[in-house]
Amino acid sequence: MPLYRDQAIVLRTQKLGEADRIATLLTRANGKVRAVAKGVRRTSSRFGARLEPFSHVDLQLATGRTLDVVTQAESIAAYGEGIVDDYARYTAGTVLLETADRLVVEEKEPATQQHLLLAGALRVLSTGEREPALVLDSFLLRSLAIAGYAPSFDDCARCGEPGPHRAFNPAAGGMVCTTCRPPASAMPSQATVTHLAALLTGDWPTALQADPRTRRESTGLIAAFFTYHQDNQLRSLPHLDLTTGAS
């Protein structure tokens, strides 16, 4: 079987037989890959602990007919060590992994930007540099943008009229002018719109200035936008610790 090497984030795993495991990976060069890690559930496994969710690994894989096979695994960063023992970080982290899994649809299609975004978000989450809710909200917006669903927070998402505008509508694609505003559009504060734009662009000095009310309103709008454009809610979202960053 042909061999190839790539860096990967482990998104999820499932048991296979008595000792094997199937790992769903988001790789840097090859996109989403499902691979069998043979014997990793045995205590004598050389690299079982390296193939857990949240792990950033350097892998050698053998191309298979249906599933590839992990032949070597070296740890780059064990992000799970700083995530799994903290409930707020863990619940945010599970949403990060599920989001990446959801947005990268086709297997073996390059998704380098999504891989780099996820690796960066997990690194920040694991170190506690920023509050989990802020990391997650920024990741959701930026991953949607990479996938082709970038919301507009300035010009009207429908007609392009320069903003600022008062109404936000997920179906319309973001902020909309008075003429284009659909019924039942949200009317967020200008502070919330500014915060959303900062999260999308990675403007952390601005994002960190937002008060708890602004952050809560932003989180709700991001969840509504994601749910609309992905047809249904993420399974891990209801378990999210929404108190993070809101006190």
Side-chain angles (χ1 to χ4, degrees), residues 66-106:
T66 55
L67 297 173
D68 293 351
V69 178
V70 178
T71 59
Q72 293 180 13
E74 299 295 334
S75 178
I76 296 174
Y79 294 127
E81 293 179 359
I83 293 175
V84 298
D85 290 333
D86 182 278
Y87 185 73
R89 294 183 194 178
Y90 177 73
T91 53
T94 56
V95 178
L96 295 181
L97 297 185
E98 187 183 351
T99 299
D101 196 3
R102 175 85 66 86
L103 292 179
V104 181
V105 179
E106 298 295 330

mmCIF file of all heavy atoms in Angstrom, residues 66-106:
data_model
loop_
_atom_site.group_PDB
_atom_site.id
_atom_site.type_symbol
_atom_site.label_atom_id
_atom_site.label_comp_id
_atom_site.label_asym_id
_atom_site.label_seq_id
_atom_site.Cartn_x
_atom_site.Cartn_y
_atom_site.Cartn_z
ATOM 1 N N THR A 66 -10.828 1.288 1.476
ATOM 2 C CA THR A 66 -11.923 2.050 2.084
ATOM 3 C C THR A 66 -11.417 2.943 3.212
ATOM 4 O O THR A 66 -11.799 4.100 3.302
ATOM 5 C CB THR A 66 -13.005 1.100 2.635
ATOM 6 O OG1 THR A 66 -12.409 0.162 3.536
ATOM 7 C CG2 THR A 66 -13.687 0.358 1.495
ATOM 8 N N LEU A 67 -10.564 2.410 4.061
ATOM 9 C CA LEU A 67 -9.979 3.172 5.154
ATOM 10 C C LEU A 67 -8.466 3.093 5.062
ATOM 11 O O LEU A 67 -7.897 2.044 4.756
ATOM 12 C CB LEU A 67 -10.427 2.615 6.508
ATOM 13 C CG LEU A 67 -11.920 2.681 6.836
ATOM 14 C CD1 LEU A 67 -12.194 1.921 8.129
ATOM 15 C CD2 LEU A 67 -12.381 4.115 6.969
ATOM 16 N N ASP A 68 -7.798 4.225 5.326
ATOM 17 C CA ASP A 68 -6.344 4.210 5.400
ATOM 18 C C ASP A 68 -5.919 3.579 6.725
ATOM 19 O O ASP A 68 -6.741 3.347 7.619
ATOM 20 C CB ASP A 68 -5.790 5.617 5.260
ATOM 21 C CG ASP A 68 -6.021 6.186 3.864
ATOM 22 O OD1 ASP A 68 -6.452 5.431 2.967
ATOM 23 O OD2 ASP A 68 -5.776 7.394 3.679
ATOM 24 N N VAL A 69 -4.627 3.309 6.861
ATOM 25 C CA VAL A 69 -4.111 2.653 8.062
ATOM 26 C C VAL A 69 -2.976 3.501 8.634
ATOM 27 O O VAL A 69 -2.049 3.880 7.909
ATOM 28 C CB VAL A 69 -3.596 1.237 7.749
ATOM 29 C CG1 VAL A 69 -3.013 0.590 9.010
ATOM 30 C CG2 VAL A 69 -4.710 0.374 7.168
ATOM 31 N N VAL A 70 -3.062 3.794 9.931
ATOM 32 C CA VAL A 70 -2.005 4.527 10.615
ATOM 33 C C VAL A 70 -0.850 3.573 10.876
ATOM 34 O O VAL A 70 -1.016 2.543 11.529
ATOM 35 C CB VAL A 70 -2.506 5.126 11.943
ATOM 36 C CG1 VAL A 70 -1.363 5.843 12.664
ATOM 37 C CG2 VAL A 70 -3.661 6.081 11.701
ATOM 38 N N THR A 71 0.331 3.925 10.370
ATOM 39 C CA THR A 71 1.504 3.080 10.589
ATOM 40 C C THR A 71 2.511 3.708 11.557
ATOM 41 O O THR A 71 3.302 3.007 12.173
ATOM 42 C CB THR A 71 2.219 2.771 9.256
ATOM 43 O OG1 THR A 71 2.608 4.003 8.636
ATOM 44 C CG2 THR A 71 1.284 2.009 8.323
ATOM 45 N N GLN A 72 2.488 5.045 11.676
ATOM 46 C CA GLN A 72 3.334 5.732 12.648
ATOM 47 C C GLN A 72 2.572 6.941 13.176
ATOM 48 O O GLN A 72 1.774 7.540 12.451
ATOM 49 C CB GLN A 72 4.652 6.211 12.016
ATOM 50 C CG GLN A 72 5.591 5.117 11.592
ATOM 51 C CD GLN A 72 6.872 5.681 10.979
ATOM 52 O OE1 GLN A 72 7.157 6.873 11.084
ATOM 53 N NE2 GLN A 72 7.652 4.819 10.332
ATOM 54 N N ALA A 73 2.836 7.314 14.428
ATOM 55 C CA ALA A 73 2.190 8.489 15.024
ATOM 56 C C ALA A 73 3.134 9.140 16.015
ATOM 57 O O ALA A 73 3.598 8.499 16.962
ATOM 58 C CB ALA A 73 0.893 8.094 15.726
ATOM 59 N N GLU A 74 3.439 10.403 15.766
ATOM 60 C CA GLU A 74 4.278 11.188 16.663
ATOM 61 C C GLU A 74 3.489 12.403 17.145
ATOM 62 O O GLU A 74 2.830 13.072 16.346
ATOM 63 C CB GLU A 74 5.561 11.648 15.963
ATOM 64 C CG GLU A 74 6.441 10.508 15.486
ATOM 65 C CD GLU A 74 7.003 9.676 16.627
ATOM 66 O OE1 GLU A 74 7.129 10.229 17.752
ATOM 67 O OE2 GLU A 74 7.310 8.487 16.411
ATOM 68 N N SER A 75 3.536 12.680 18.427
ATOM 69 C CA SER A 75 2.777 13.793 18.997
ATOM 70 C C SER A 75 3.423 15.133 18.661
ATOM 71 O O SER A 75 4.637 15.308 18.796
ATOM 72 C CB SER A 75 2.664 13.640 20.511
ATOM 73 O OG SER A 75 1.980 14.742 21.074
ATOM 74 N N ILE A 76 2.609 16.075 18.205
ATOM 75 C CA ILE A 76 3.034 17.461 18.022
ATOM 76 C C ILE A 76 2.590 18.277 19.234
ATOM 77 O O ILE A 76 3.357 19.046 19.799
ATOM 78 C CB ILE A 76 2.444 18.059 16.732
ATOM 79 C CG1 ILE A 76 2.980 17.316 15.510
ATOM 80 C CG2 ILE A 76 2.757 19.559 16.632
ATOM 81 C CD1 ILE A 76 2.358 17.741 14.202
ATOM 82 N N ALA A 77 1.334 18.095 19.632
ATOM 83 C CA ALA A 77 0.797 18.789 20.806
ATOM 84 C C ALA A 77 -0.395 18.003 21.340
ATOM 85 O O ALA A 77 -1.313 17.673 20.586
ATOM 86 C CB ALA A 77 0.372 20.211 20.456
ATOM 87 N N ALA A 78 -0.367 17.716 22.630
ATOM 88 C CA ALA A 78 -1.473 17.007 23.278
ATOM 89 C C ALA A 78 -2.428 18.045 23.879
ATOM 90 O O ALA A 78 -2.438 18.264 25.099
ATOM 91 C CB ALA A 78 -0.950 16.053 24.340
ATOM 92 N N TYR A 79 -3.220 18.699 23.030
ATOM 93 C CA TYR A 79 -4.092 19.770 23.505
ATOM 94 C C TYR A 79 -5.115 19.288 24.526
ATOM 95 O O TYR A 79 -5.568 20.056 25.369
ATOM 96 C CB TYR A 79 -4.812 20.414 22.327
ATOM 97 C CG TYR A 79 -3.894 21.147 21.371
ATOM 98 C CD1 TYR A 79 -3.908 20.873 20.007
ATOM 99 C CD2 TYR A 79 -2.998 22.105 21.837
ATOM 100 C CE1 TYR A 79 -3.059 21.537 19.128
ATOM 101 C CE2 TYR A 79 -2.146 22.775 20.966
ATOM 102 C CZ TYR A 79 -2.187 22.486 19.609
ATOM 103 O OH TYR A 79 -1.350 23.140 18.752
ATOM 104 N N GLY A 80 -5.452 18.011 24.465
ATOM 105 C CA GLY A 80 -6.431 17.482 25.402
ATOM 106 C C GLY A 80 -6.024 17.612 26.852
ATOM 107 O O GLY A 80 -6.873 17.711 27.740
ATOM 108 N N GLU A 81 -4.706 17.644 27.115
ATOM 109 C CA GLU A 81 -4.233 17.744 28.497
ATOM 110 C C GLU A 81 -4.683 19.040 29.160
ATOM 111 O O GLU A 81 -4.895 19.084 30.373
ATOM 112 C CB GLU A 81 -2.707 17.646 28.524
ATOM 113 C CG GLU A 81 -2.183 16.271 28.117
ATOM 114 C CD GLU A 81 -0.670 16.204 28.125
ATOM 115 O OE1 GLU A 81 -0.037 17.245 28.434
ATOM 116 O OE2 GLU A 81 -0.107 15.135 27.813
ATOM 117 N N GLY A 82 -4.842 20.103 28.392
ATOM 118 C CA GLY A 82 -5.297 21.369 28.952
ATOM 119 C C GLY A 82 -6.772 21.627 28.754
ATOM 120 O O GLY A 82 -7.261 22.713 29.088
ATOM 121 N N ILE A 83 -7.491 20.638 28.213
ATOM 122 C CA ILE A 83 -8.901 20.835 27.877
ATOM 123 C C ILE A 83 -9.834 19.922 28.663
ATOM 124 O O ILE A 83 -10.839 20.372 29.217
ATOM 125 C CB ILE A 83 -9.119 20.631 26.359
ATOM 126 C CG1 ILE A 83 -8.427 21.748 25.563
ATOM 127 C CG2 ILE A 83 -10.605 20.569 26.010
ATOM 128 C CD1 ILE A 83 -8.487 21.566 24.052
ATOM 129 N N VAL A 84 -9.526 18.631 28.734
ATOM 130 C CA VAL A 84 -10.513 17.659 29.206
ATOM 131 C C VAL A 84 -10.862 17.788 30.684
ATOM 132 O O VAL A 84 -11.946 17.360 31.102
ATOM 133 C CB VAL A 84 -10.065 16.217 28.895
ATOM 134 C CG1 VAL A 84 -9.952 16.008 27.399
ATOM 135 C CG2 VAL A 84 -8.741 15.894 29.588
ATOM 136 N N ASP A 85 -9.984 18.358 31.497
ATOM 137 C CA ASP A 85 -10.272 18.459 32.929
ATOM 138 C C ASP A 85 -10.968 19.759 33.322
ATOM 139 O O ASP A 85 -11.248 19.985 34.501
ATOM 140 C CB ASP A 85 -8.967 18.323 33.736
ATOM 141 C CG ASP A 85 -8.400 16.909 33.678
ATOM 142 O OD1 ASP A 85 -9.197 15.968 33.497
ATOM 143 O OD2 ASP A 85 -7.174 16.758 33.800
ATOM 144 N N ASP A 86 -11.254 20.607 32.345
ATOM 145 C CA ASP A 86 -11.959 21.862 32.603
ATOM 146 C C ASP A 86 -13.260 21.829 31.814
ATOM 147 O O ASP A 86 -13.250 21.741 30.583
ATOM 148 C CB ASP A 86 -11.093 23.055 32.161
ATOM 149 C CG ASP A 86 -11.754 24.387 32.442
ATOM 150 O OD1 ASP A 86 -12.601 24.815 31.622
ATOM 151 O OD2 ASP A 86 -11.437 25.005 33.470
ATOM 152 N N TYR A 87 -14.411 21.905 32.514
ATOM 153 C CA TYR A 87 -15.692 21.695 31.841
ATOM 154 C C TYR A 87 -15.944 22.731 30.749
ATOM 155 O O TYR A 87 -16.398 22.391 29.644
ATOM 156 C CB TYR A 87 -16.844 21.719 32.848
ATOM 157 C CG TYR A 87 -18.178 21.382 32.217
ATOM 158 C CD1 TYR A 87 -18.462 20.073 31.832
ATOM 159 C CD2 TYR A 87 -19.139 22.363 31.987
ATOM 160 C CE1 TYR A 87 -19.672 19.752 31.234
ATOM 161 C CE2 TYR A 87 -20.347 22.051 31.392
ATOM 162 C CZ TYR A 87 -20.611 20.744 31.021
ATOM 163 O OH TYR A 87 -21.798 20.430 30.416
ATOM 164 N N ALA A 88 -15.667 23.995 31.019
ATOM 165 C CA ALA A 88 -15.907 25.035 30.025
ATOM 166 C C ALA A 88 -15.038 24.831 28.786
ATOM 167 O O ALA A 88 -15.497 24.957 27.649
ATOM 168 C CB ALA A 88 -15.652 26.417 30.629
ATOM 169 N N ARG A 89 -13.769 24.507 29.001
ATOM 170 C CA ARG A 89 -12.876 24.264 27.861
ATOM 171 C C ARG A 89 -13.291 23.007 27.110
ATOM 172 O O ARG A 89 -13.263 22.970 25.876
ATOM 173 C CB ARG A 89 -11.429 24.131 28.342
ATOM 174 C CG ARG A 89 -10.833 25.392 28.927
ATOM 175 C CD ARG A 89 -9.368 25.165 29.293
ATOM 176 N NE ARG A 89 -8.858 26.218 30.152
ATOM 177 C CZ ARG A 89 -7.635 26.256 30.651
ATOM 178 N NH1 ARG A 89 -6.792 25.262 30.384
ATOM 179 N NH2 ARG A 89 -7.245 27.254 31.431
ATOM 180 N N TYR A 90 -13.664 21.964 27.860
ATOM 181 C CA TYR A 90 -14.018 20.700 27.219
ATOM 182 C C TYR A 90 -15.277 20.834 26.360
ATOM 183 O O TYR A 90 -15.312 20.361 25.218
ATOM 184 C CB TYR A 90 -14.222 19.609 28.272
ATOM 185 C CG TYR A 90 -14.671 18.297 27.664
ATOM 186 C CD1 TYR A 90 -13.772 17.513 26.949
ATOM 187 C CD2 TYR A 90 -15.981 17.867 27.794
ATOM 188 C CE1 TYR A 90 -14.178 16.320 26.376
ATOM 189 C CE2 TYR A 90 -16.395 16.677 27.222
ATOM 190 C CZ TYR A 90 -15.487 15.905 26.510
ATOM 191 O OH TYR A 90 -15.902 14.730 25.937
ATOM 192 N N THR A 91 -16.302 21.480 26.891
ATOM 193 C CA THR A 91 -17.530 21.602 26.113
ATOM 194 C C THR A 91 -17.308 22.487 24.885
ATOM 195 O O THR A 91 -17.820 22.200 23.800
ATOM 196 C CB THR A 91 -18.676 22.169 26.968
ATOM 197 O OG1 THR A 91 -18.264 23.400 27.596
ATOM 198 C CG2 THR A 91 -19.094 21.176 28.042
ATOM 199 N N ALA A 92 -16.523 23.560 25.037
ATOM 200 C CA ALA A 92 -16.182 24.385 23.876
ATOM 201 C C ALA A 92 -15.361 23.582 22.873
ATOM 202 O O ALA A 92 -15.584 23.659 21.650
ATOM 203 C CB ALA A 92 -15.429 25.638 24.309
ATOM 204 N N GLY A 93 -14.420 22.792 23.390
ATOM 205 C CA GLY A 93 -13.568 22.003 22.509
ATOM 206 C C GLY A 93 -14.332 20.969 21.703
ATOM 207 O O GLY A 93 -14.030 20.742 20.525
ATOM 208 N N THR A 94 -15.320 20.331 22.318
ATOM 209 C CA THR A 94 -16.095 19.340 21.581
ATOM 210 C C THR A 94 -16.885 19.999 20.446
ATOM 211 O O THR A 94 -17.070 19.404 19.380
ATOM 212 C CB THR A 94 -17.053 18.578 22.506
ATOM 213 O OG1 THR A 94 -17.918 19.497 23.194
ATOM 214 C CG2 THR A 94 -16.288 17.756 23.533
ATOM 215 N N VAL A 95 -17.339 21.237 20.667
ATOM 216 C CA VAL A 95 -18.027 21.962 19.590
ATOM 217 C C VAL A 95 -17.043 22.303 18.468
ATOM 218 O O VAL A 95 -17.379 22.217 17.277
ATOM 219 C CB VAL A 95 -18.708 23.238 20.113
ATOM 220 C CG1 VAL A 95 -19.375 24.002 18.967
ATOM 221 C CG2 VAL A 95 -19.760 22.892 21.164
ATOM 222 N N LEU A 96 -15.816 22.676 18.820
ATOM 223 C CA LEU A 96 -14.793 22.944 17.800
ATOM 224 C C LEU A 96 -14.590 21.717 16.918
ATOM 225 O O LEU A 96 -14.580 21.824 15.679
ATOM 226 C CB LEU A 96 -13.463 23.314 18.460
ATOM 227 C CG LEU A 96 -13.349 24.597 19.270
ATOM 228 C CD1 LEU A 96 -11.930 24.749 19.800
ATOM 229 C CD2 LEU A 96 -13.727 25.807 18.456
ATOM 230 N N LEU A 97 -14.401 20.556 17.530
ATOM 231 C CA LEU A 97 -14.149 19.341 16.766
ATOM 232 C C LEU A 97 -15.346 18.969 15.897
ATOM 233 O O LEU A 97 -15.188 18.598 14.720
ATOM 234 C CB LEU A 97 -13.821 18.180 17.711
ATOM 235 C CG LEU A 97 -12.557 18.317 18.567
ATOM 236 C CD1 LEU A 97 -12.321 17.028 19.355
ATOM 237 C CD2 LEU A 97 -11.336 18.645 17.730
ATOM 238 N N GLU A 98 -16.552 19.060 16.458
ATOM 239 C CA GLU A 98 -17.737 18.701 15.681
ATOM 240 C C GLU A 98 -17.958 19.672 14.524
ATOM 241 O O GLU A 98 -18.371 19.279 13.432
ATOM 242 C CB GLU A 98 -18.986 18.665 16.569
ATOM 243 C CG GLU A 98 -20.199 18.135 15.823
ATOM 244 C CD GLU A 98 -21.483 18.150 16.645
ATOM 245 O OE1 GLU A 98 -21.408 18.412 17.855
ATOM 246 O OE2 GLU A 98 -22.545 17.910 16.057
ATOM 247 N N THR A 99 -17.676 20.950 14.764
ATOM 248 C CA THR A 99 -17.820 21.945 13.705
ATOM 249 C C THR A 99 -16.888 21.636 12.541
ATOM 250 O O THR A 99 -17.292 21.658 11.369
ATOM 251 C CB THR A 99 -17.517 23.353 14.241
ATOM 252 O OG1 THR A 99 -18.442 23.676 15.268
ATOM 253 C CG2 THR A 99 -17.610 24.390 13.135
ATOM 254 N N ALA A 100 -15.628 21.350 12.837
ATOM 255 C CA ALA A 100 -14.671 21.018 11.775
ATOM 256 C C ALA A 100 -15.106 19.766 11.025
ATOM 257 O O ALA A 100 -15.028 19.702 9.789
ATOM 258 C CB ALA A 100 -13.281 20.823 12.377
ATOM 259 N N ASP A 101 -15.591 18.787 11.767
ATOM 260 C CA ASP A 101 -16.067 17.551 11.146
ATOM 261 C C ASP A 101 -17.260 17.825 10.232
ATOM 262 O O ASP A 101 -17.366 17.267 9.136
ATOM 263 C CB ASP A 101 -16.455 16.559 12.243
ATOM 264 C CG ASP A 101 -16.581 15.130 11.735
ATOM 265 O OD1 ASP A 101 -16.310 14.880 10.542
ATOM 266 O OD2 ASP A 101 -16.940 14.248 12.535
ATOM 267 N N ARG A 102 -18.135 18.710 10.661
ATOM 268 C CA ARG A 102 -19.337 19.037 9.891
ATOM 269 C C ARG A 102 -19.006 19.845 8.633
ATOM 270 O O ARG A 102 -19.562 19.590 7.559
ATOM 271 C CB ARG A 102 -20.302 19.831 10.780
ATOM 272 C CG ARG A 102 -21.561 20.341 10.087
ATOM 273 C CD ARG A 102 -22.650 19.296 10.049
ATOM 274 N NE ARG A 102 -23.122 18.994 11.385
ATOM 275 C CZ ARG A 102 -24.084 19.683 12.013
ATOM 276 N NH1 ARG A 102 -24.639 20.730 11.423
ATOM 277 N NH2 ARG A 102 -24.489 19.332 13.214
ATOM 278 N N LEU A 103 -18.130 20.821 8.764
ATOM 279 C CA LEU A 103 -17.884 21.741 7.657
ATOM 280 C C LEU A 103 -16.959 21.169 6.583
ATOM 281 O O LEU A 103 -17.030 21.584 5.427
ATOM 282 C CB LEU A 103 -17.308 23.056 8.184
ATOM 283 C CG LEU A 103 -18.267 23.913 9.018
ATOM 284 C CD1 LEU A 103 -17.572 25.170 9.511
ATOM 285 C CD2 LEU A 103 -19.506 24.294 8.208
ATOM 286 N N VAL A 104 -16.073 20.264 6.971
ATOM 287 C CA VAL A 104 -15.241 19.602 5.962
ATOM 288 C C VAL A 104 -15.985 18.328 5.550
ATOM 289 O O VAL A 104 -15.909 17.305 6.218
ATOM 290 C CB VAL A 104 -13.846 19.275 6.515
ATOM 291 C CG1 VAL A 104 -12.986 18.608 5.439
ATOM 292 C CG2 VAL A 104 -13.160 20.544 7.011
ATOM 293 N N VAL A 105 -16.700 18.417 4.458
ATOM 294 C CA VAL A 105 -17.639 17.357 4.084
ATOM 295 C C VAL A 105 -16.951 16.222 3.338
ATOM 296 O O VAL A 105 -17.079 15.051 3.694
ATOM 297 C CB VAL A 105 -18.785 17.936 3.228
ATOM 298 C CG1 VAL A 105 -19.744 16.833 2.813
ATOM 299 C CG2 VAL A 105 -19.514 19.040 3.987
ATOM 300 N N GLU A 106 -16.229 16.563 2.287
ATOM 301 C CA GLU A 106 -15.636 15.548 1.423
ATOM 302 C C GLU A 106 -14.322 15.041 2.004
ATOM 303 O O GLU A 106 -13.476 15.818 2.438
ATOM 304 C CB GLU A 106 -15.393 16.121 0.022
ATOM 305 C CG GLU A 106 -16.660 16.576 -0.692
ATOM 306 C CD GLU A 106 -17.598 15.432 -0.996
ATOM 307 O OE1 GLU A 106 -17.094 14.289 -1.189
ATOM 308 O OE2 GLU A 106 -18.819 15.670 -1.036
#
